[in-house]
Amino acid sequence: MNQTLNSTSEHQNIMVAAEAFDEVKAFANSLPSLQLSERSVCDLEMLAVGAFAPLDRFMGREDEARVRAEMRLANGRLFPIPITLPVEPGPDIRLDQSIALRNANNDLLAVMKIEEIYEWDLNETAQQVFGTQDLRHPLVAEMHRWGKVNISGPLQVLQLPRHYDYQHLRLTPAETRARLKSFGRENVVAFQTRNPLHRVHEELTKRAIEEKDGVLLLHPVVGLTKPGDVDHYSRVRTYQALADGYYAPGRILLALLPLAMRMAGPREALWHALIRRNYGANHLIVGRDHASPGVDSTGKPFYGPYDAQELVERHSEEIGMGVVPFSELVYLPDEDRYEEVSKVTPQTRTASISGTQVRNLYLNRGRKLPEWFTRPEVAEVLAETYPPRHRQGVCVWFTGLSGAGKSTTAEILILLLLEYGRQATLLDGDVVRTHLSKGLGFSKEDRDINIRRIGFVAAEIARHGGVAVCAAVSPYRATRNDVRNMIGSDHFVEVFVDTPLEVCEQRDTKGMYSKARRGEIKGFTGIDDPYEAPQSAEITLDTVAHSPEENARLILNYLIEQGFARAHEAAMRASQGSD
């Protein structure tokens, strides 16, 4: 197994040498630029430091095709996730053209010489890599806004993305391996996490390093994770408190991983194992539902609970990484300890709290988590990060045909929310086009841009604890699901205003439908451009049988049921009115 621990020695160093830096930078500044997405910036950093070894570039056609189909590079090496750079075709995207790669702030990161340009198929990629084309999978929805071609070629990296937070914990694979070697233990057990650690995780990791007589590499992901996850600043504060106060010195190394997760379940678990091997680990704790995005649009889990463990174990010997299965533990209150469920008799008194109960019974109600479940330092950070549910942000997203009644119902809902003490903002499609999207047309691309702009603003409002009420036709299912993923499914309420087309035409005061029928307006939703109705909206409204006020109150009642508004305020007002 040890021979694989030095796999990054195969990695081609793609960082520009100090003596060539000025020359390459001057050359880069003369080139056309490509602005990378946040995901591609994460991938570039992982390539540059050797975390994706043996890769030293975004994948070309042969590697990408075989990885999709067989989880192997063209040379036969195991690699389960395609690492590609999708872009839109353009005059600067041509063979043998060098381009400067920049981040969202226009900082120069690298130079790429384009040696390959190839098309990729969205549905085929989604099915092969994620096992689904369901738009509730966050990456499947996101891929709908990726460029239509992938490009590949040698990279010259001038600088890594700048990180000003937790710099002492951002260790490269080489730095991590050196630190781990100083502990003087042969075995290193890596723990992949994108969530806070509770006592059960602490117990599990301690048992793992005792069993293997090794060191724990606590390696949280601080790149892109699942929408709605606890932010990495809060998580890292909890990891630091645990590493400093609850583990034996010399048995734990906390380091941060700038990975952009794909939420690909079993394939992702195998990918995590390969990455941690590059960082110097030879065992990985693989959890139940490892890297799962949750449930699909029918409510069924995307992946089986133990699929990830089985896939990594199947390839364990080949990649030189042992698997430590995540055993289910329960707390024994009478003995003040944790034990594996399989070793507990039916007569034994146990206690456990599920992730849903953590949110619904504790955090959303402003109750502190018990010490047997989580350390006080962790509980305090979570209480700060998660205010009570009625003070958390939420997005109510109205979708439906033009004239369906979205704006009227949304305006009434805003007033009701204000009455209930919530700060609410209305983002109406027509108003947003005037102030935020002026100049955009009505092509599919422009419509998607407009909806994603509304989604971006709504996500910021919700992130800061407000209620965003959005009313836009938003005809395309993939784009709506992309917005859902920006905000986080737990804080997104899709409202389908299901008004028949003939009723919308009757209500049309602007005469838009008539113009579309006469061919004066092209690409009008419902006439000569499709409207893709939601497959599983949280709320569906009937605007023929019910008035806008009735529908607004129906939505308000749903928000009360979900905890986003307090029901006792309504009861209090009712009692005051009857006195």
Side-chain angles (χ1 to χ4, degrees), residues 89-108:
D92 296 325
I93 304 302
R94 59 183 189 273
L95 293 177
D96 297 323
Q97 169 71 56
S98 291
I99 53 171
L101 304 182
R102 299 178 183 272
N103 65 10
N105 296 326
N106 215 33
D107 295 328
L108 176 63

Side-chain angles (χ1 to χ4, degrees), residues 17 33 35 54 77 86 107 124 134 171 179 236 251 283 324 328 350 362 380 394 411 506 521 542:
S33 292
Q35 196 169 61
R77 294 284 295 273
D107 295 328
E124 186 178 40
D134 193 313
L171 306 180
R179 293 278 291 276
V236 175
R251 299 299 294 271
H283 292 81
V324 180
E328 188 178 352
T350 64
Y362 290 90
E380 185 176 343
V394 62
E411 287 167 2
Q506 290 166 12
I521 300 175
D542 181 341

Side-chain angles (χ1 to χ4, degrees), residues 378-558:
V378 177
E380 185 176 343
V381 170
L382 290 179
E384 293 170 358
T385 305
Y386 282 96
R389 183 78 158 176
H390 69 278
R391 285 287 172 254
Q392 291 178 21
V394 62
C395 173
V396 181
W397 189 279
F398 288 83
T399 177
L401 293 170
S402 178
K406 301 181 297 298
S407 297
T408 306
T409 309
E411 287 167 2
I412 297 171
L413 178 62
I414 287 283
L415 299 175
L416 295 177
L417 287 166
L418 292 170
E419 180 188 349
Y420 272 68
R422 293 306 317 253
Q423 294 300 310
T425 301
L426 177 60
L427 297 171
D428 183 82
D430 291 338
V431 177
V432 168
R433 274 192 171 271
T434 300
H435 296 287
L436 194 63
S437 296
K438 195 170 184 179
L440 287 181
F442 288 89
S443 67
K444 183 181 189 305
E445 292 73 21
D446 281 0
R447 290 179 182 187
D448 283 346
I449 290 170
N450 185 48
I451 294 308
R452 290 194 178 100
R453 285 180 182 176
I454 297 173
F456 172 78
V457 176
E460 289 300 295
I461 291 169
R463 187 166 68 87
H464 290 285
V467 181
V469 178
C470 307
V473 173
S474 44
Y476 309 120
R477 200 175 290 134
T479 315
R480 293 196 304 268
N481 277 285
D482 201 14
V483 172
R484 176 187 290 271
N485 292 324
M486 284 185 204
I487 294 164
S489 205
D490 278 356
H491 296 260
F492 186 86
V493 180
E494 188 173 37
V495 179
F496 176 30
V497 187
D498 188 12
T499 305
L501 176 60
E502 57 270 21
V503 175
C504 293
E505 292 196 59
Q506 290 166 12
R507 294 175 178 172
D508 183 19
T509 57
K510 299 177 185 176
M512 303 294 283
Y513 280 102
S514 298
K515 291 179 181 178
R517 292 285 186 193
R518 294 194 300 266
E520 296 173 20
I521 300 175
K522 300 294 185 185
F524 194 81
T525 301
I527 303 300
D528 57 349
D529 198 69
Y531 175 78
E532 299 171 1
Q535 293 176 317
S536 50
E538 279 74 15
I539 299 172
T540 298
L541 301 182
D542 181 341
T543 68
V544 177
H546 299 284
S547 70
E549 182 180 348
E550 288 172 327
N551 281 329
R553 290 193 181 278
L554 185 150
I555 299 167
L556 177 66
N557 289 335
Y558 178 87

Side-chain angles (χ1 to χ4, degrees), residues 1-54:
M1 231 182 236
N2 288 341
Q3 67 184 39
T4 63
L5 295 184
N6 295 320
S7 62
T8 48
S9 62
E10 305 169 352
H11 180 254
Q12 182 79 26
N13 186 0
I14 58 176
M15 296 296 299
V16 173
E19 59 270 20
F21 183 89
D22 290 340
E23 180 185 349
V24 176
K25 183 178 179 182
F27 175 60
N29 286 330
S30 71
L31 298 173
S33 292
L34 178 66
Q35 196 169 61
L36 300 182
S37 67
E38 187 178 357
R39 179 173 302 282
S40 293
V41 169
C42 289
D43 288 348
L44 178 65
E45 180 171 4
M46 296 287 282
L47 286 166
V49 299
F52 286 164

Side-chain angles (χ1 to χ4, degrees), residues 85 119 137 139-140 164 246 309 417 433 449 457 549:
L85 183 55
E119 294 183 351
H137 191 294
L139 250 290
V140 175
Y164 298 102
Y246 296 98
Q309 291 179 3
L417 287 166
R433 274 192 171 271
I449 290 170
V457 176
E549 182 180 348

